[in-house]
Amino acid sequence: MHWRRATVVTLLGAGVLGSAAVLGANVWAARASAGHAYAAELAPQRPVALVLGAGLTPAGTPTPYLAYRLDVAKQLYDAGTVRVLLVSGDNRTHAYDEPTAMTDYLVAHGIPAERIVQDFAGRDTYDSCARARRIFGVEQLIVVTQEYHVPRAIATCRALGIDAVGVGDLQGRRFADVWASGSQREKLAVVKTVWDLTTRRDPVLGQPESRVQDALAGT
C-alpha cells in the first residue's frame, strides 16, 4: 500500500515539474522574441533570410508547409528586404534532401540560384541557428517559419548571438488540424531547445564557409 502511494506521489511530482518546465520554456521564448516578429511587408531589412526545413513529400518536393515558408522567403527577397536566402534542412541520407528541394522550388519561382545558399545539416531549429552563426558567419537575419514556431526560432537564434527577427507563415492555417497539432507540439519542443541552449550542444559542424558572404558580395 505504501509503495503505491509513493508511486502516485512521485508521478504527481514529475507531472508538476514537467508542466513547470513547459510553462517556463514557453515564457522564455515569448519574452526573448517579443518585439522581433513581423509581417513580411513590415520586416526590417536584413542581409539574409534563414528558411527552416519542414519536410518533403514522398516525391521529394517541399510539403505544403515548407512551400509556404519558401513563398514568404521569396516575398522578402522580391521586396528587397533580404538579399540572400539560406535554406537549412535535413540531408542525413541521399534519399532525403531538403535543401536541394528548397532550392529547386525557389529557382522555379524566380529566385536566382546564386542568391541561395544551402545548409545540408539543419536537422532542427537549434542546429540551423547554430550553424548559421558558427559555419556561415551570419550575424543578422530574418528567420522564416510558420507563425507558431516564430518565437522559438527567434529566441534560439538570438540566444546564439544572432541579431534575428522573424516572419511567420499564416497560409498553413488552412490545414486547421495540422496547424493545431503543430502548435501543441511546439509547446513541448521549446523545452528541448532550452536544454540544447543550456548544454550548448554542438550540431553537426565542419569548416567555416564563406558562401553566404560570397553571395552577398555578388548582389
Side-chain angles (χ1 to χ4, degrees):
M1 192 69 174
H2 291 296
W3 68 267
R4 289 180 181 173
R5 185 178 304 163
T7 299
V8 170
V9 170
T10 299
L11 290 174
L12 287 174
V16 170
L17 289 174
S19 297
V22 172
L23 177 60
N26 281 272
V27 168
W28 162 77
R31 289 179 175 174
S33 62
H36 301 297
Y38 296 86
E41 62 273 16
L42 299 176
Q45 288 192 339
R46 290 290 188 273
V48 176
L50 171 63
V51 190
L52 303 177
L56 300 177
T57 69
T61 59
T63 60
Y65 268 36
L66 180 51
Y68 296 152
R69 297 181 186 189
L70 296 167
D71 291 342
V72 171
K74 172 178 163 53
Q75 183 180 352
L76 293 170
Y77 179 88
D78 288 345
T81 307
V82 300
R83 292 182 287 142
V84 169
L85 306 181
L86 176 58
V87 294
S88 183
D90 195 348
N91 178 220
R92 70 186 72 192
T93 70
H94 291 295
Y96 193 87
D97 186 349
E98 283 187 309
T100 296
M102 295 162 79
T103 299
D104 290 345
Y105 182 96
L106 289 168
V107 170
H109 286 77
I111 302 297
E114 61 269 22
R115 301 294 173 253
I116 305 169
V117 176
Q118 299 165 321
D119 174 16
F120 291 99
R123 296 179 178 179
D124 61 19
T125 302
Y126 175 86
D127 287 14
S128 293
C129 293
R131 285 178 54 83
R133 183 71 184 90
R134 296 173 65 180
I135 299 299
F136 296 97
V138 178
E139 297 180 352
Q140 291 185 314
L141 58 76
I142 299 176
V143 61
V144 178
T145 183
Q146 265 65 52
E147 184 191 48
Y148 58 77
H149 182 204
V150 164
R152 176 164 65 101
I154 293 173
T156 303
C157 283
R158 295 185 74 84
L160 292 169
I162 301 173
D163 177 13
V165 298
V167 173
D169 159 67
L170 291 172
Q171 291 189 77
R173 284 182 170 176
R174 68 185 63 183
F175 300 104
D177 291 344
V178 177
W179 187 273
S181 177
S183 298
Q184 288 302 312
R185 287 197 307 273
E186 181 63 19
K187 290 180 171 59
L188 297 176
V190 183
V191 177
K192 179 184 180 299
T193 296
V194 170
W195 176 257
D196 286 339
L197 289 167
T198 300
T199 61
R200 278 299 193 262
R201 173 179 66 80
D202 279 335
V204 174
L205 294 173
Q207 294 299 314
E209 299 186 21
S210 64
R211 285 186 289 142
V212 169
Q213 286 72 32
D214 294 343
L216 288 170
T219 58

